[in-house]
Amino acid sequence: MDNRKYRCLAIDAQYFLMKHFSAYKSRSETEMNMVINYPESVEGSYKVPGYTFDHKDIVQSLVWSFAKIAREHVDCDRCILLWDSSPYFKEKILPDFKGHRLRVTQEDLELFDVESDPVGYLKLREQLRVEGVKSEAKYWAVSNLYKIGFPSIIQKGYEADDLAYLFSEEVKNDDRKYIICSVDSDWKFWINENVDLYNPVKKKLITYDDVWNELGDKVKNIGLSLFEVKCYLDSLYNSHNNLKSTTKCRWKDFDKVVSKILEGDYSLVDDVETFKKNMESFDIMSYPGADDMKRLIRTTVDRPPLDDDTLISNFNSLKRDGLKITHRYYKENTLNYINR
């Protein structure tokens, strides 16, 4: 990072939740495999004596990650956490959106034939348990971390990606620079001349000019914003979220295809109906409550920082509630660093 100073950092908290949850889950699964390798241990009560973790273990890891970024990698005044909250508005427009993700429910467990497959039952029950831990960690973080300098933005129907876009739109004309943080390559399309992107894995800062240089003048000369380029890219070709390709034209023809569409000519689009639905799914400002979300983002960005006494008091309160973090967060250049 250079010496650039940012007013506010917006973090893809959903990514960090999944990262730390997966780490704990893999440890739990290792212990479960030990149980499954000894079938006698699953007879009778079907107990899982493996590694136990709870939601506060995950929250503790989250705090470490958030503080590390704010403390060591991004010079900013404050921080906001952005979260997913399904079912997403995109799913109403695109039923296959993220269709590859399976959700286990309590009903699945209750309907499972325990007697014929006790090991399968054990696996399903553990999967449901750890998913519950993940959800509890998420909502404990949302409900409590604002007390130590990490306010959250979460709204049913919105992904963290959608909120990052609204954040960038809301602050793009401010007189201070802002920054968003994610490993998701899509987030580079949310930035603008006033909002940069930080990738915490590559420890790389990405600016507006960097993205345009990567795309090339051929794309820039169409007259689209970065966000609009993303809309067309996913809607014409495909994405990891199960969007279907709607043209056989290759990337080198992107400018030609888009230019024709802007003129009202869809002759290079093989599936116009799907293309239009894809584009509609990206119209984030048409989502219910989008204006309210922008106002909430503005209020959160402009909210005065916590004073030191309140910060320490809240810290001690969360410790009494079982959050395992230490006072080193409140020494020089730690959490109070983002509450100036």
Side-chain angles (χ1 to χ4, degrees):
M1 296 288 291
D2 58 20
N3 294 322
R4 192 172 316 212
K5 172 72 174 173
Y6 297 96
R7 184 182 185 200
C8 184
L9 162 70
I11 295 181
D12 183 0
Q14 193 69 35
Y15 158 74
F16 286 99
L17 173 72
M18 295 304 299
K19 173 185 175 183
H20 292 295
F21 168 74
S22 297
Y24 280 104
K25 182 171 179 286
S26 65
R27 293 170 68 178
S28 183
E29 288 173 341
T30 297
E31 297 292 340
M32 160 138 352
N33 289 334
M34 292 176 62
V35 173
I36 292 173
N37 287 332
Y38 297 92
E40 65 275 8
S41 64
V42 300
E43 294 177 359
S45 64
Y46 308 111
K47 288 184 178 178
V48 182
Y51 180 80
T52 300
F53 66 95
D54 65 22
H55 64 282
K56 288 180 183 175
D57 291 320
I58 300 174
V59 173
Q60 177 185 336
S61 296
L62 289 174
V63 173
W64 274 106
S65 289
F66 300 152
K68 187 176 180 65
I69 292 170
R71 183 174 66 231
E72 298 179 9
H73 300 298
V74 175
D75 187 2
C76 65
D77 285 346
R78 62 195 63 190
C79 180
I80 295 176
L81 308 179
L82 307 179
W83 304 89
D84 290 356
S85 185
S86 63
Y88 308 120
F89 294 130
K90 285 187 177 74
E91 292 177 303
K92 296 180 180 179
I93 302 169
L94 304 170
D96 291 333
F97 180 74
K98 294 192 175 180
H100 57 292
R101 298 188 179 181
L102 299 177
R103 298 186 178 102
V104 180
T105 66
Q106 182 64 35
E107 184 179 12
D108 295 329
L109 187 66
E110 293 170 355
L111 295 176
F112 198 92
D113 187 348
V114 182
E115 297 304 322
S116 64
D117 186 6
V119 171
Y121 174 81
L122 184 68
K123 288 182 176 180
L124 189 64
R125 193 181 74 173
E126 176 67 355
Q127 184 177 351
L128 187 63
R129 182 187 75 82
V130 296
E131 287 293 332
V133 171
K134 178 180 69 175
S135 295
E136 196 170 0
K138 177 177 182 175
Y139 288 101
W140 200 94
V142 170
S143 301
N144 290 281
L145 293 190
Y146 73 91
K147 299 173 185 177
I148 53 174
F150 294 114
S152 291
I153 303 288
I154 184 170
Q155 178 64 30
K156 186 71 72 177
Y158 286 83
E159 293 184 276
D161 306 47
D162 305 327
L163 297 173
Y165 168 73
L166 293 177
F167 174 86
S168 292
E169 281 295 291
E170 177 60 29
V171 303
K172 67 182 180 182
N173 295 319
D174 285 15
D175 59 1
R176 291 276 307 276
K177 293 281 288 188
Y178 292 79
I179 187 166
I180 55 180
C181 172
S182 178
V183 301
D184 189 342
S185 60
D186 286 352
W187 281 44
K188 69 185 180 184
F189 292 99
W190 307 161
I191 68 180
N192 52 56
E193 291 178 318
N194 208 41
V195 179
D196 296 332
L197 170 66
Y198 178 68
N199 184 315
V201 172
K202 296 181 179 179
K203 297 181 180 178
K204 181 180 179 182
L205 175 71
I206 302 169
T207 68
Y208 184 72
D209 289 338
D210 292 334
V211 182
W212 277 122
N213 290 335
E214 176 188 333
L215 292 171
D217 289 340
K218 184 177 181 180
V219 175
K220 187 174 182 178
N221 291 337
I222 304 174
L224 302 178
S225 67
L226 282 181
F227 176 68
E228 289 169 328
V229 169
K230 170 63 175 173
C231 296
Y232 278 102
L233 278 173
D234 275 12
S235 299
L236 287 170
Y237 298 98
N238 55 57
S239 89
H240 57 283
N241 289 327
N242 282 18
L243 296 189
K244 298 177 181 178
S245 174
T246 59
T247 181
K248 295 184 177 66
C249 295
R250 291 178 291 179
W251 161 246
K252 69 177 184 178
D253 298 315
F254 178 79
D255 61 332
K256 179 171 67 176
V257 177
V258 173
S259 295
K260 281 186 171 294
I261 292 172
L262 292 174
E263 294 170 359
D265 181 352
Y266 292 86
S267 60
L268 296 178
V269 180
D270 301 297
D271 186 345
V272 176
E273 182 179 356
T274 298
F275 167 77
K276 289 183 176 180
K277 281 187 177 181
N278 289 349
M279 290 293 284
E280 182 186 353
S281 74
F282 281 104
D283 188 7
I284 298 170
M285 282 308 302
S286 72
Y287 292 178
D291 286 330
D292 291 336
M293 295 310 299
K294 287 187 71 176
R295 281 192 288 271
L296 177 59
I297 288 168
R298 172 54 63 185
T299 299
T300 307
V301 167
D302 291 344
R303 185 173 295 153
L306 298 171
D307 63 81
D308 289 344
D309 289 341
T310 300
L311 208 54
I312 294 295
S313 175
N314 289 345
F315 169 84
N316 290 330
S317 175
L318 293 187
K319 279 196 71 176
R320 288 193 294 272
D321 287 344
L323 191 62
K324 305 167 190 174
I325 53 179
T326 68
H327 273 95
R328 62 180 290 191
Y329 283 110
Y330 287 93
K331 295 179 181 177
E332 186 177 0
N333 293 330
T334 56
L335 279 192
N336 60 347
Y337 175 64
I338 62 168
N339 280 277
R340 291 179 291 201

